[in-house]
Amino acid sequence: MKQLSQEEAQKEISKYQESIIESFDQAVSTANELADPCFTKRTRACMIRDLAVKNLKAVFKSVDNVRVLEKDNTVLFRIGESIIGRVKKLDKKFNASYNLTPSSEKFTNQQVELFGDEYRLTSVHIGYVLDDFGVGIKNIIITCPVNSGKGHKWLLPLVKGVTENVTIDINEPEKTNEEQDERFKIRPEKQKDKSKNDRTGTGSQGTNTN
């Protein structure tokens, strides 16, 4: 099965758009009620993710065309016949971070198979971007990850009450090397060791045996 385009995915996902948005809104509200002031932004993000997953499971439990799949503490949502989704926190470029495993490698490289290679699903992140304080959500967005999660083929922003295509700007000032995510830093290759003679200071000159 071919990978879905943004337009094809939107037709399938738009049926559940309002439910997805509401699940995240409720997750944020509950997380803020439960959160302690000393909680870090990362802790809040994890709370929101777990609560959003819980809410989506409850919503989709009674939906015939969506199946909830759970394996190894990972919850996946099979939407329709062609989409497999996973809730993930996204960065400002709408990419997700992973501790890559064989299964997540397949997910983030569009290689999730159902009944063999001829029936490959389109994997998507049901993603969210937190605000700078970690107490609210700036964007809820469906992304089609590629390159082990370091990029995406297309983006599908979800906006309450809006069903047509929504554009979103992902261009931001380029970070310095010190500010870049560790995953994307470019490190110069180490200079190859010089010959043993060079390391001992003799260089290319031979030893005079006279």
Side-chain angles (χ1 to χ4, degrees), residues 125-169:
H125 290 141
I126 305 172
Y128 63 101
V129 181
L130 292 178
D131 63 21
D132 292 337
F133 300 101
V135 297
I137 290 180
K138 292 173 62 176
N139 303 103
I140 300 172
I141 186 165
I142 308 297
T143 72
C144 182
V146 293
N147 193 24
S148 298
K150 298 175 185 175
H152 32 71
K153 185 176 181 181
W154 47 257
L155 304 171
L156 181 60
L158 301 186
V159 179
K160 185 175 291 186
V162 179
T163 56
E164 65 267 19
N165 285 341
V166 177
T167 59
I168 192 162
D169 185 14

Side-chain angles (χ1 to χ4, degrees), residues 69-107:
L69 309 174
E70 298 188 57
K71 182 179 180 181
D72 299 330
N73 296 320
T74 298
V75 179
L76 300 174
F77 300 93
R78 184 182 169 195
I79 302 173
E81 294 297 319
S82 306
I83 297 175
I84 191 80
R86 180 176 181 179
V87 175
K88 289 291 288 185
K89 174 182 170 294
L90 306 178
D91 62 23
K92 292 181 180 180
K93 293 289 186 181
F94 308 115
N95 296 321
S97 61
Y98 275 91
N99 293 319
L100 289 178
T101 63
S103 60
S104 63
E105 278 276 11
K106 287 185 177 182
F107 190 92

